[in-house]
Amino acid sequence: MDSGAGEEVTQEVVDDQLTRLLTREYIDLLEPSENAPTFHQQEISALGKCLLQHESVATAVLICLYSALWWNDTTSCHRAGSFAWMMLKQVLERGVQPEMINHLFLCILRGLHQHGQHESCQATLVGLGFQKHVGQQFKKDVNIPNLPPLFKPPKPSKPSLDQSDTNDLGIASLFDPNKEV
């Protein structure tokens, strides 16, 4: 291996490590400090809530957060995935462009492709995809037409020929084994 290729590989490793560290620090900025009581749930920090108030900034925050789902770093994927639903809920209340929802879902699918072999990441990403889908569905106006009843009352059955005494047509007597020919 020549020195040019070695430097290129070294720079790639440094860039990868730097991206991982910056991603983790970025997520740390959006989460509250460790001293804040979270009641066993994650919360959005004051800075995160402030950033989400501005549409253009909120879009950039969500894009970065959801892009971390498929970067080659399982720690960032898991942390971003477990935190992303709260961020999206905050933005969904004001409304989100359909293109943004599609991009977020694409990031979830890429994350499953990249990290699907890790149970914790897989569970987080599948749950996030389900929550995103359900959240999107509840934002749409749903019109449910009058549906037919699930259980229909049984139709009155017609009596069989054996049970019918008043309408004896004589057909049953043709097959009576006790009758002589």
Side-chain angles (χ1 to χ4, degrees):
M1 182 187 280
D2 62 7
S3 66
E7 288 176 17
E8 196 174 295
V9 169
T10 303
Q11 184 62 40
E12 186 177 324
V13 170
V14 168
D15 289 347
D16 184 54
Q17 289 297 319
L18 183 61
T19 301
R20 290 175 188 214
L21 289 172
L22 285 174
T23 301
R24 293 174 187 174
E25 290 294 322
Y26 185 77
I27 294 171
D28 284 342
L29 283 175
L30 299 173
E31 292 178 333
S33 67
E34 293 179 16
N35 298 334
T38 60
F39 303 104
H40 299 71
Q41 293 181 351
Q42 288 181 315
E43 297 177 1
I44 301 172
S45 68
L47 174 62
K49 290 177 183 175
C50 180
L51 292 173
L52 292 177
Q53 297 302 316
H54 306 285
E55 185 176 341
S56 61
V57 177
T59 300
V61 168
L62 282 176
I63 286 174
C64 184
L65 190 63
Y66 273 80
S67 294
L69 296 175
W70 58 274
W71 291 342
N72 193 17
D73 181 15
T74 55
T75 303
S76 294
C77 172
H78 184 68
R79 288 185 63 205
S82 62
F83 188 63
W85 174 241
M86 287 181 296
M87 299 290 281
L88 183 60
K89 277 195 313 187
Q90 294 284 323
V91 176
L92 278 176
E93 292 172 1
R94 291 192 323 264
V96 177
Q97 297 295 326
E99 296 84 21
M100 174 59 87
I101 296 292
N102 291 338
H103 175 73
L104 300 180
F105 194 64
L106 180 64
C107 288
I108 293 169
L109 292 176
R110 284 181 175 173
L112 282 170
H113 179 73
Q114 180 72 23
H115 303 289
Q117 74 274 17
H118 303 287
E119 283 187 32
S120 64
C121 288
Q122 181 185 36
T124 300
L125 290 167
V126 168
L128 184 60
F130 180 72
Q131 289 170 333
K132 184 223 59 91
H133 180 69
V134 169
Q136 184 180 4
Q137 293 300 325
F138 283 124
K139 290 297 175 183
K140 293 180 180 179
D141 290 332
V142 178
N143 295 323
I144 300 176
N146 291 334
L147 299 174
L150 289 176
F151 300 103
K152 293 182 179 179
K155 293 181 182 179
S157 61
K158 295 182 180 179
S160 68
L161 291 176
D162 289 337
Q163 296 172 344
S164 174
D165 290 334
T166 59
N167 295 331
D168 187 14
L169 300 175
I171 296 176
S173 63
L174 290 175
F175 299 103
D176 186 5
N178 296 331
K179 188 172 183 177
E180 294 182 26
V181 179

